[in-house]
Amino acid sequence: MPKYIRIDEVKDYVGESVEIRGWLYNKRSSGKLHFLQVRDGSQTIQCVMFKGNFDEDTFKTADLLSQESSVSIVGNVKEDKRSPIGFEIDVTGFRVICQAQEYPISLKEHGVDFLLNNRHLWLRSKRPHAIMMIRHHFIRAVHDYFHDHGFIHVDAPILTANACEGTTTLFSTEYFGETAYLSQSGQLYNEPTCQAFGKVYCYGPTFRAEKSKTRRHLMEFWMVEPEAAFMEHAENMDLAEDFLEFVVQRIVERCEDHLATLERDIDKLRAVKKPFPRITYDEAVKIIREKGGRIEDDDDFGAEHETLVSESYDKPVIIEKYPTKVKAFYMKRDPENPARVLGMDVIAPDGYGEIIGGGQREDDIDILLKSIDDHGLPREAFSWYLDVRKYGSVPHAGFGLGIERTLMWLCGVHHLRETIPFPRLMGRLSP
Ligand code: 4AD
Ligand code: MG
């Protein structure tokens, strides 16, 4: 029996007989020959059937094979310069596992609503496949980076009693007579765990009931959040910069073919090397106004403001020291100006928007209590969180990087919905 291999292994089997198993992606025939494009999740390969090698029935079965039928193919691996992957298979044996019903997604263009309704099938197509492969390598790079830098992976809960990022975007659910909220961020849990482990990170799904339809917002997205005891604002920016350079260069190294499928300009990603420009909020406001953008004093940035700032740079830009009033309750005040916080956002180039948000945390319990009151948050819900300041409070900082926002930029896709296998959008909970 020939060995069953995955298509991405064919280069090691040139001249040998192998079996591949997969789905018919496309097909073309010319009397004596069938050219079957077969994909198995690892790659797509052309399998050539020559009429003379088969009895009439088998050859005819192949001719009637419908798109996405599952098949087992036995044949000899040949090098072929014209093939996009450099190889093809000269078929000697052919078996239909299941003839597919008429497949709804043809190789022509479809509207995005139709594709999203069929997301469970759409993932088989070339473009979503390339994006998900990049996602896979990206997540792997995230874990490698923090592991290699001494951060311990400590998971944060999904069901929580607290709001981390404001009360307007909470999803709630009944919890045995109490109200539970789906986590908006693991940060409030990272702060105590960094006192237990020194340097930690959590990686998980986070939820925001953003009642708006934009290309940058999902209801459910994934975030990686590092947090370190004794790390202050400047080092936090250094960490964000070093981490981002690492993960982007990893994608450049390992995903060249997938980036090419997406027609992403790889040179732009190659240029993402330290140092990144760092400007203050006040400097960013100046840039925005010089470029004709309108913003009130001390207002938060919207997507259009971020785009104006990012246009000035070809690398991610770090914006620090935002107005205290636009940021979350836990941010540490700038000792030089209490109207500003030691927070930072990283804005991706080319208008892809904010990919990282973070900062140094308020470590003074009295200032923190006042901030909780000022934000109208219930003190009781934060009693455990305040313990971080009661038992050996130390300076500490961290950030959160949105996986889909970052992928949107890396892949060069216009809408966040393409960067997650099953997007949760306003008005879309299925499939
Ligand atoms: O800036 P955010 O709200 O920061 C936090 O949640 C902090 N507690 C993180 C921390 O310091 N540990 O969110 C962080 C990142 C954003 O920069 C963005 O990339 C992403 O999460 N993000 C979203 N991504 C997709 N859809 C949404 N609705 C998002 N909201 C935030
Ligand atoms: Mg933010």
Side-chain angles (χ1 to χ4, degrees), residues 330-392:
Y330 50 71
M331 291 259 183
K332 188 174 176 62
R333 309 286 177 283
D334 180 357
E336 286 162 18
N337 177 5
R340 296 287 179 267
V341 285
L342 298 179
M344 56 112 183
D345 282 356
V346 181
I347 312 297
D350 298 326
Y352 287 98
E354 177 198 326
I355 53 177
I356 288 181
Q360 190 168 339
R361 320 307 186 187
E362 186 52 73
D363 45 38
D364 180 301
I365 192 164
D366 295 320
I367 299 176
L368 187 59
L369 276 169
K370 182 164 183 313
S371 181
I372 289 174
D373 295 345
D374 290 349
H375 280 81
L377 296 165
R379 280 191 184 197
E380 320 76 71
F382 291 93
S383 64
W384 61 271
Y385 177 71
L386 293 165
D387 281 355
V388 173
R389 281 78 185 169
K390 282 188 194 160
Y391 305 109

Side-chain angles (χ1 to χ4, degrees), residues 164-165 169 184-188 190-191 202 206-210 212 214-227 236 306 327-328 330-331 344-347 352-361 397-406 416 419 424:
C164 180
E165 296 299 322
T169 62
Q184 298 168 309
S185 157
Q187 181 197 321
L188 301 186
N190 276 346
E191 292 188 51
C202 63
T206 44
F207 305 85
R208 309 254 172 117
E210 315 257 12
S212 60
T214 83
R215 65 190 186 94
R216 293 177 181 170
H217 289 94
L218 291 166
M219 304 302 125
E220 176 180 295
F221 62 99
W222 291 71
M223 207 181 349
V224 59
E225 300 178 80
E227 188 81 22
N236 195 34
E306 288 170 359
K327 288 291 182 188
Y330 50 71
M331 291 259 183
M344 56 112 183
D345 282 356
V346 181
I347 312 297
Y352 287 98
E354 177 198 326
I355 53 177
I356 288 181
Q360 190 168 339
R361 320 307 186 187
F399 61 81
L401 170 133
I403 300 297
E404 292 77 16
R405 287 274 184 92
T406 311
L416 212 54
T419 62
R424 295 293 172 250

